Amino acid sequence: MRSPLTRSIATAMLRTCTRSLPGFAQPTAASAASGSLPPHLLARTRAGKRLLVHVLISGFVLVATAPAIAAPGRLKLVRPTVRTQQWPVAVNGWWALIDERGNLNTQPSLDWIGDIDDGQAPAALQGRFGVLNGVGDWRITPRYEHLDRFFEGYAAYRHNGKTGFLNAAGTPVLKPVLEDARRFREGFAVVRTLHGCGYINAKMKPVVPPVFAVARSLHQGLGVVAIDAPRTGGRSAHALEQISDTPLAQLVDATVLARPQDDTLTRPTRLWGCIDKSGRLAWLDRSGQIEEMRDFGNDLAPVRVGGKWGFLSRTFKIAVAPRWDDARPFVRGYAAVRLGDHWGYLNASGHVAIEPQWDEAYDFDETLALVRRGDQWGYIDVSGSVAIAPQFSSAQAFLRGRARVNPGWDTHPDAEGYINVAGQIVFDPRRSSQAIVDTRRGGRGEITVNDRFTGPDGRSNGFRSRLAQAPPLRPTPDLGVIPEYLYDEGVSVDHAAVPEKTDDADDGDVYPTEPDPKADTAPEPDPASPHGQN
């Protein structure tokens, strides 16, 4: 049954077309006067009208039901859910999120998006940082100079050159009064004040006074610290005695204390040690033989002695003799070590598991480790076998079974795609059949949007793609050190900038007082939803 609206539209179109359409007889003056047509013309006209009505109505229905074409710059989106697996992509220098099927979930409109992990991702818009939630909406609107992802319920943020902490609701629980800070780990966060580096707890209270030159996040219950050899009666000496319940003369060798500390051309002896989860000094290298120390993993920590790297046990004894030119902490039972110009791996027993042979090597993430040979990156498994041959001009570690890589498709970062752990390209910017960005088009700004996607399992029913206009090409914004690489390290200070005092300062006095809350304001860019309009 056709609706009255359909019939009226078809009738109007029919009247217009029949006046000029060849094959339809125009009545003569006589037939018009009599109100009839000759039989052969009447039959011909009625058949033609029926055919034309059918064609016009069918065409009208097709037009009415045809999919709308996205306006230039507004790309068709597939709305994600909280269960959607998402990964960041760059489109002509603008960042968006895609899902495991290659669908675009957010409009390409941001300066940068970090990896989505634990339902959140730091992101930047107009040079300010915020945090996206698991579906790509703003959890914290972008208004900070820097903002880390949330760890243990808190996120470090930077405003007006100072650092503070937000709670899970985005409310400042520590105003920006610190010189620097890192994310919470095992209940503590390392912070830096004008006096030095220390630790605060989740109540934003100091638990270790800021007297250290270096402080690193807790790993396996221990935080690595370093302090320049204190002077008897100084603030650092007083703090060390308090957090260890041990006199300074028993903490530090007399030969170290006797060394001159006022020679500006000679760096003071730096003593490395560990803070435990109670905020006490668990150990200090009293002789100053250790030149550098890194985080614990698998109950071992890399240490440098005499220019060579070995490993220290949790009993603070050398467990692996120093013989390596560089060493990284243990992750998932393996530690990357360098001998000469090549990297290999030790197992948890401290024995060589993979002989040094790579020009660069990183931690094992999700069973595979990123390695480099020459200028090409690939992946190996824990047996040392090549899992994905070196072939990428740039690559990153795996996260949820995907790794972002650039096989040299293009010198522009937008050429990056994704591979799975089998090395199969699951998002390929060169192929419209599996593409988000088509970089072959010479910067014309075209983007492939997949309505359906043929997944790597090969079991999907097919796809149909179309091209829409992407945002204009732009240079990559200069955001400085992005949070992903800034907040997972320790803090340190230049020893010359840490004043040594002889007065007995209370621990709380060396932490700054919170400023006027009215001063904690920041300009906000327009935090329009990255989803935009479909």
Side-chain angles (χ1 to χ4, degrees), residues 53-64:
V53 169
H54 177 74
V55 171
L56 290 175
I57 292 175
S58 299
F60 174 72
V61 173
L62 287 174
V63 170

Side-chain angles (χ1 to χ4, degrees), residues 451-464:
D451 295 323
R452 286 187 292 172
F453 179 74
T454 302
D457 57 6
R459 293 194 294 269
S460 301
N461 294 325
F463 61 89
R464 51 191 174 91

Side-chain angles (χ1 to χ4, degrees), residues 238-370:
H238 178 74
L240 284 178
E241 290 176 336
Q242 281 199 330
I243 62 177
S244 65
D245 293 327
T246 305
L248 184 66
Q250 298 179 23
L251 280 174
V252 183
D253 280 353
T255 56
V256 175
L257 292 175
R259 294 172 187 170
Q261 303 291 328
D262 56 355
D263 185 356
T264 57
L265 299 178
T266 304
R267 176 176 170 172
T269 302
R270 182 156 286 182
L271 306 178
W272 291 83
C274 291
I275 295 292
D276 64 21
K277 295 190 71 171
S278 67
R280 311 297 293 174
L281 183 66
W283 169 77
L284 187 69
D285 174 32
R286 64 193 313 267
S287 65
Q289 290 185 344
I290 293 177
E291 301 161 351
E292 191 175 351
M293 185 174 178
R294 292 172 180 164
D295 297 328
F296 272 90
N298 287 94
D299 297 327
L300 295 171
V303 291
R304 181 162 56 90
V305 179
K308 296 292 183 179
W309 286 87
F311 288 83
L312 194 74
S313 70
R314 287 182 64 89
T315 59
F316 309 113
K317 304 293 183 183
I318 296 295
V320 179
R323 56 171 290 224
W324 307 98
D325 295 308
D326 203 350
R328 295 194 173 103
F330 274 88
V331 175
R332 292 181 174 86
Y334 294 88
V337 292
R338 180 172 62 84
L339 186 61
D341 294 331
H342 295 105
W343 287 82
Y345 292 86
L346 303 183
N347 60 23
S349 300
H351 300 132
V352 175
I354 301 173
E355 291 290 339
Q357 57 188 288
W358 302 99
D359 296 329
E360 204 163 349
Y362 288 91
D363 301 333
F364 278 92
D365 293 292
E366 300 184 3
T367 73
L368 297 181
L370 179 63

